[in-house]
Amino acid sequence: MRKLGVNIDHVATLRQARKGRFPDPVIAAGICEIAGCDSIVCHLREDRRHIQDRDVYELKKTVRRLNLEMAINEEIIEIALNVIPAQVTLVPEKREELTTEGGLDVIKNFEKIRDIVKKFKENKIEVSLFIEPDFEQIGASKETGADAIEIHTGKYAEYFENDQENLWQKELSKIARAAEYSSSTGLKTHAGHGLDYRNIIPLLEVKQIQEFNIGYSIICHSLFVGLKNAVAEMLKIIKSPI
Ligand code: PXP
């Protein structure tokens, strides 16, 4: 059965608009779990624009399965090794970006990533690498010793949003081929970024994708239907028989 990880960063974005206590992403995480999601995802960014250190520690105490997204950054690695989430997802990070743009270059940063993966695995933390649907990046990811990859679906989502059907179909095929290759190497295969209630449908045909990580669209939809309903609606789509 496919899994859904809900990214709650944007609950924290709203809180940080006033720098107060509400809405609390930890409470949001509890509601997502009650709705039936499989894991809670949050990204502790270097600039702390949404999730704060306190959130990560509280989430670790309260949720069933925490997936901490993070850049290859000494300070954040230290926090992750203190918190010991069930999983970390290594992502690239640029200060000026609005959201995570592009995948991690595992080939270029191979030794660094391999060493970090080793450190996390020694602490029984599962490691996923957020990469583009590219065979060479997948091969290098496997060699680092990581457990999983998360395929960056940002380009696919952008083409879909702009009704560029030939382009999104092409990107979808690329994702399908990448997912097939990834799972043939024994890596768990996840996907995420920019996914919503419409563009997820064609992706469900890619049977090798075991987990979707979705944030923005669910949190936006929750403003109108409530968080529990927004998560439940996505779960209904994702958990439908293949
Ligand atoms: N997966 C990863 C690795 C991400 O960096 C993000 C964005 O933080 C997501 C999934 C969720 O993307 P979105 O908020 O666009 O659904």
Side-chain angles (χ1 to χ4, degrees):
M1 191 67 109
R2 287 187 220 97
K3 292 187 171 158
L4 172 66
V6 179
N7 180 311
I8 51 162
D9 289 350
H10 295 299
V11 176
T13 301
L14 195 55
R15 176 192 59 194
Q16 295 311 105
R18 291 277 168 103
K19 300 228 178 333
R21 290 170 51 213
F22 304 108
D24 189 335
V26 181
I27 294 175
I31 294 169
C32 294
E33 282 198 333
I34 289 167
C37 79
D38 300 285
S39 59
I40 297 295
V41 190
C42 73
H43 183 173
L44 185 65
R45 294 186 77 104
E46 224 181 295
D47 63 10
R48 309 296 200 273
R49 70 175 69 159
H50 38 53
I51 293 293
Q52 305 296 304
D53 298 31
R54 165 266 179 199
D55 301 330
V56 182
Y57 283 96
E58 291 301 316
L59 285 167
K60 161 70 185 178
K61 282 192 254 169
T62 51
V63 305
R64 280 193 303 268
R65 182 175 171 82
L66 178 63
N67 173 2
L68 178 63
E69 284 180 14
M70 52 183 285
I72 305 167
N73 167 295
E74 285 299 325
E75 187 208 356
I76 310 285
I77 292 171
E78 206 168 299
I79 292 172
L81 289 170
N82 252 315
V83 172
I84 314 280
Q87 185 189 320
V88 294
T89 301
L90 300 181
V91 303
E93 189 176 299
K94 294 191 215 96
R95 273 189 180 253
E96 65 278 14
E97 69 190 0
L98 287 178
T99 180
T100 314
E101 290 167 3
L104 198 61
D105 192 339
V106 185
I107 299 166
K108 197 166 148 199
N109 301 292
F110 182 78
E111 271 149 40
K112 213 168 169 186
I113 293 174
R114 185 196 52 199
D115 293 349
I116 298 167
V117 169
K118 187 166 176 272
K119 205 179 263 181
F120 282 136
K121 304 260 329 153
E122 280 167 2
N123 284 276
K124 305 213 169 1
I125 301 171
E126 274 187 40
V127 188
S128 176
L129 306 178
F130 187 46
I131 59 170
E132 295 292 328
D134 176 282
F135 276 45
E136 286 182 27
Q137 294 290 348
I138 295 168
S141 298
K142 176 71 184 167
E143 280 180 46
T144 64
D147 304 278
I149 58 155
E150 180 171 335
I151 299 175
H152 195 309
T153 51
K155 229 181 252 161
Y156 161 78
E158 190 187 321
Y159 295 145
F160 199 97
E161 181 65 23
N162 295 321
D163 274 333
Q164 292 165 295
E165 189 167 352
N166 54 337
L167 290 180
W168 73 250
Q169 290 274 15
K170 216 166 138 189
E171 196 60 25
L172 179 64
S173 309
K174 209 166 153 187
I175 292 169
R177 286 194 299 273
E180 196 178 334
Y181 177 54
S182 159
S183 58
S184 78
T185 69
L187 284 162
K188 289 184 192 164
T189 307
H190 308 159
H193 207 279
L195 299 179
D196 62 29
Y197 297 84
R198 286 174 61 241
N199 66 21
I200 189 81
I201 308 283
L203 267 180
L204 297 178
E205 286 163 29
V206 185
K207 297 182 179 46
Q208 290 85 357
I209 300 177
Q210 295 159 281
E211 179 180 302
F212 291 104
N213 291 311
I214 307 178
Y216 191 69
S217 65
I218 292 177
I219 302 304
C220 289
H221 193 45
S222 77
L223 289 175
F224 305 112
V225 302
L227 186 53
K228 196 171 160 204
N229 290 333
V231 174
E233 279 182 43
M234 188 58 87
L235 278 167
K236 200 169 164 204
I237 299 171
I238 285 178
K239 305 273 182 184
S240 60
I242 308 173

